[in-house]
Amino acid sequence: MADELVLYTNPQSRGRIARWMLEEIEQPYRTELLDYASTMKGPAYLAINPMGKVPALRHGDAVITETAAICAYLADAFPQAKLAPPPGDRLRAPYYRWMFFAAGPVEAAISNKALGFAVPPERERMIGYGTFAKVMDALDAAVGRGNFLVGDSFSAADVYVGSAIGFGMMFGTIENRPAFGQYWQRLSTRPAFARAKELDDAIIAQQKAAAR
Ligand SMILES: N[C@@H](CCC(=O)N[C@@H](CS)C(=O)NCC(=O)O)C(=O)O
């Protein structure tokens, strides 16, 4: 099938974000489950993502990795879902801004903090995210500005940035600030989020039952 959508994922991974995005666009897709210890590092999957990481998405013969890129790609490939401002629209500014902010500074700041690394003050200038505190404050202001990050409507930026916030709060890697909690409450009640969660949670339950 030339235009088949295939999600390569593990239910306990960032693939949950890509699945949420797929559920938002309401297009049929197939799921290929990968195991961390085996298939994710096997030659068949390394040919798709040489990083041996999930998620990856195949759309016909096009392959895309990096969760933020997958969300942005799907929003553009299926414009009828209205999950991105059209190219050239001024709303592309906040759309790109917060998507890239989350994939770069937020991701790096959260990972480094989780590993116990704090940027020495004299090196803040050369570190793209400056400090963890500055990143959290910028994110707080961004999500506290309105209901959504881009204009007045939900977009792929909310799927990606919201996931960083929601999963970050769940794993304790970011603070549970009021603005974060309110924003996540708005997003996590979306039917597409609930469908994606149900699908991934059911796979986890099946895997646990099979391992018993
Ligand atoms: N930059 C990638 C990160 C993907 C990533 O690190 N995925 C993890 C799971 S959340 C993974 O596949 N880890 C397996 C491994 O590295 O062996 C993205 O945004 O999609």
Side-chain angles (χ1 to χ4, degrees), residues 60-139:
D61 56 7
V63 168
I64 184 158
T65 66
E66 308 316 307
T67 310
I70 291 171
C71 292
Y73 174 82
L74 287 171
D76 285 349
F78 299 94
Q80 63 274 27
K82 297 194 186 319
L83 291 172
D89 190 306
R90 293 277 169 102
L91 285 174
R92 278 265 172 175
Y95 176 72
Y96 281 140
R97 179 184 185 181
W98 299 116
M99 193 80 109
F100 282 69
F101 186 70
V106 173
E107 164 96 22
I110 289 177
S111 302
N112 280 345
K113 177 134 190 297
L115 294 175
F117 174 78
V119 178
E122 70 278 9
R123 308 308 296 270
E124 281 172 26
R125 276 192 196 171
M126 59 88 61
I127 296 291
Y129 69 84
T131 65
F132 180 81
K134 279 184 187 151
V135 170
M136 289 299 116
D137 289 346
L139 207 50

Side-chain angles (χ1 to χ4, degrees), residues 14 53 196:
R14 290 165 172 89
K53 284 179 172 285

